[in-house]
């Protein structure tokens, strides 16, 4: 058995090894580990530390890892502690993941002010591991100033990261065809800042044109109450040449400060907590379908549906009302 009280003290003290063990604990699927994870999270609740949670999404190949490394190194050089929670896609066939973010962010992984934790997405929609939200809480308790959450891919189901971050960045690549059709409107409406990466070399002018196109598109979107004047906005950055990173950070700081001063920061955190409570309830209900006796009943009802003895609706009603007591 783990000493949860000691682990909590070590996490609060900023012990990186204890933090890694704590994240492993909350990611575990074992029932006994889940009980210990809940005890740990409850022990750490109310620690009083607040980090800036920054979600980052973008299409594969846009340079998310390169950007995070350059951006993270810039922040650590300013004396800020940076945690990176990178979610890698899992194979639908084997369930395995490469988890190569520490390899791709070699310099940042050696920085004593940084902590990188790759996690498999498993079967989760949105490219965010189910327990990423709890890992964020642990990193915040450990005293990190900025937490970067990198999600896989981009699309309608990738917006989960916006429900666990204070700022949501969308990384874009220049010369990607019809840029304004390259990203669905839904995720654009959730982004706080659009960053057109690879604004260097032969692509610099193309990146500037792409940024101008997106700036025009953003002006057509409905104004959001949590945004000050001129937000959301599009900027160009070069992770390779490290150009525009300081400007991006200045804009992020400006937006975060404005939201704090106008009450949007706390309101958003509260709404996110309620969202994840409801999500956890849904996950628990779905989990009950995968264990006996409900699994056996569901299998029997499924056979009756296949044979035409029951309609799908009647079988679902019987399962929910008689066996899950959800009438």
């Amino acid at each position: 058995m783990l000493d949860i009280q000691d682990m909590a003290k070590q996490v609060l003290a900023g012990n990186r090894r204890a933090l890694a063990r704590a994240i492993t604990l909350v990611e575990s699927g074992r029932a006994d580990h889940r009980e210990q994870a809940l005890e740990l999270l409850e022990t750490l609740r109310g620690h009083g530390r607040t980090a800036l949670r920054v979600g980052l999404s973008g299409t594969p190949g846009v340079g998310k890892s390169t950007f995070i490394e350059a951006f993270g190194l810039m922040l650590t050089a300013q004396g800020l502690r940076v945690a990176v929670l990178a979610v890698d896609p899992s194979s639908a066939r084997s369930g395995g993941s490469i988890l190569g973010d520490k390899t791709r962010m070699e310099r940042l992984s050696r920085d004593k002010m940084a902590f990188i934790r790759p996690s498999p997405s498993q079967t989760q929609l949105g490219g965010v591991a189910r327990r990423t939200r709890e890992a964020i809480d642990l990193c915040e308790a450990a005293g990190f100033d900025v937490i970067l959450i990198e999600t896989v891919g981009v699309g309608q189901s990738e917006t989960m990261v916006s429900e666990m971050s204070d700022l949501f960045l969308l990384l874009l690549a220049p010369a990607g065809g019809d840029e304004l059709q390259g990203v669905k409107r839904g995720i654009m409406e959730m982004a706080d800042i659009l960053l057109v990466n690879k604004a260097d070399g032969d692509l610099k002018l193309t990146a500037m044109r792409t940024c101008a196109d997106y700036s025009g598109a953003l002006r057509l979107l409905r104004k959001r109450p949590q945004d000050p004047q001129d937000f959301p906005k599009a900027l160009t950055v070069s992770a390779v040449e490290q150009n525009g990173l300081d400007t991006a950070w200045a804009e992020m700081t400006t937006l975060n400060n404005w939201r704090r001063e106008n009450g949007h920061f706390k309101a958003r955190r509260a709404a996110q907590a309620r969202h994840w409570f409801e999500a956890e309830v849904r996950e628990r209900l779905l989990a009950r379908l995968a264990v006996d006796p409900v699994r056996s009943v569901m299998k029997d009802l499924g056979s009756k549906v296949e044979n035409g003895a029951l309609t799908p609706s009647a079988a679902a009603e019987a399962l929910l009302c008689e066996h899950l007591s959800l009438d």
Side-chain angles (χ1 to χ4, degrees):
M1 294 291 293
L2 296 172
D3 187 338
I4 298 301
Q5 296 299 322
D6 181 66
M7 179 179 285
K9 291 179 181 179
Q10 293 295 326
V11 169
L12 289 172
N15 187 304
R16 295 156 61 95
R17 181 171 295 181
L19 175 60
R21 292 175 61 205
I23 294 177
T24 299
L25 181 65
V26 300
E27 289 180 344
S28 175
R30 285 176 44 176
D32 57 334
H33 285 175
R34 190 61 197 154
E35 291 181 6
Q36 292 176 322
L38 292 176
E39 181 185 348
L40 174 63
L41 293 168
E42 186 62 24
T43 302
L44 292 173
R45 182 173 59 87
H47 51 72
R49 296 174 177 175
T50 303
L52 177 60
R53 306 171 181 177
V54 181
L56 180 70
S57 188
T59 53
V62 76
K64 293 191 294 293
S65 296
T66 305
F67 170 81
I68 289 176
E69 180 173 55
F71 187 65
L73 288 171
M74 182 196 72
L75 295 180
T76 57
Q78 298 178 14
L80 298 174
R81 297 185 66 204
V82 178
V84 180
L85 300 176
V87 184
D88 269 12
S90 298
S91 168
R93 178 175 299 178
S94 67
S97 299
I98 296 176
L99 301 178
D101 292 276
K102 285 192 174 182
T103 302
R104 294 196 298 268
M105 306 179 196
E106 184 179 358
R107 288 186 299 156
L108 187 61
S109 65
R110 296 197 302 264
D111 195 319
K112 294 182 179 180
M113 297 286 286
F115 174 83
I116 301 177
R117 173 71 182 211
S119 299
S121 64
Q122 299 173 338
T123 59
Q124 299 298 310
L125 289 177
V128 179
R130 180 181 175 188
R131 298 302 173 192
T132 300
R133 175 185 56 84
E134 294 173 347
I136 292 172
D137 290 338
L138 292 173
C139 290
E140 203 164 52
F144 285 93
D145 302 298
V146 181
I147 302 173
L148 303 175
I149 309 108
E150 177 194 3
T151 182
V152 292
V154 65
Q156 289 298 98
S157 65
E158 304 292 333
T159 56
M160 284 177 63
V161 69
S162 69
E163 294 293 344
M164 59 178 69
S165 57
D166 303 315
L167 301 178
F168 182 33
L169 309 183
L170 183 59
L171 208 59
L172 303 163
D178 188 350
E179 287 86 358
L180 294 181
Q181 295 295 327
V183 179
K184 294 182 181 293
R185 175 171 175 168
I187 199 169
M188 278 190 63
E189 291 176 326
M190 290 188 175
D192 296 308
I193 299 177
L194 306 183
L195 298 176
V196 182
N197 194 24
K198 303 183 180 180
D200 47 60
D202 295 337
L203 290 176
K204 186 171 184 177
L205 292 178
T206 304
M208 294 177 66
R209 286 195 297 268
T210 302
C211 183
D213 289 341
Y214 275 113
S215 295
L218 289 173
R219 285 193 290 269
L220 300 177
L221 297 180
R222 183 179 300 175
K223 182 69 176 176
R224 305 180 306 184
Q226 69 269 29
D227 291 332
Q229 191 67 28
D230 297 330
F231 280 91
K233 61 175 56 180
L235 304 169
T236 58
V237 295
S238 170
V240 174
E241 295 183 353
Q242 301 180 19
N243 292 329
L245 300 181
D246 51 348
T247 301
W249 176 239
E251 296 289 358
M252 292 162 60
T253 302
T254 297
L255 178 57
N256 181 56
N257 291 339
W258 185 89
R259 287 180 174 174
R260 285 177 178 270
E261 293 168 359
N262 290 272
H264 295 290
F265 183 89
K266 287 186 177 180
R268 182 174 177 83
R269 287 270 179 115
Q272 288 176 348
R274 183 179 183 88
H275 169 86
W276 288 108
F277 155 69
E278 295 174 353
E280 187 68 20
V281 172
R282 289 191 293 269
E283 290 287 348
R284 294 288 187 90
L285 290 174
L286 288 174
R288 290 182 61 182
L289 300 178
V291 296
D292 286 328
V294 178
R295 179 174 58 181
S296 298
V297 174
M298 191 171 180
K299 183 177 180 180
D300 292 339
L301 290 172
S303 298
K304 292 180 180 180
V305 171
E306 288 181 348
N307 297 332
L310 282 175
T311 64
S313 298
E317 185 74 12
L319 178 69
L320 295 176
C321 296
E322 297 177 18
H323 301 282
L324 289 179
S325 300
L326 297 179
D327 52 341

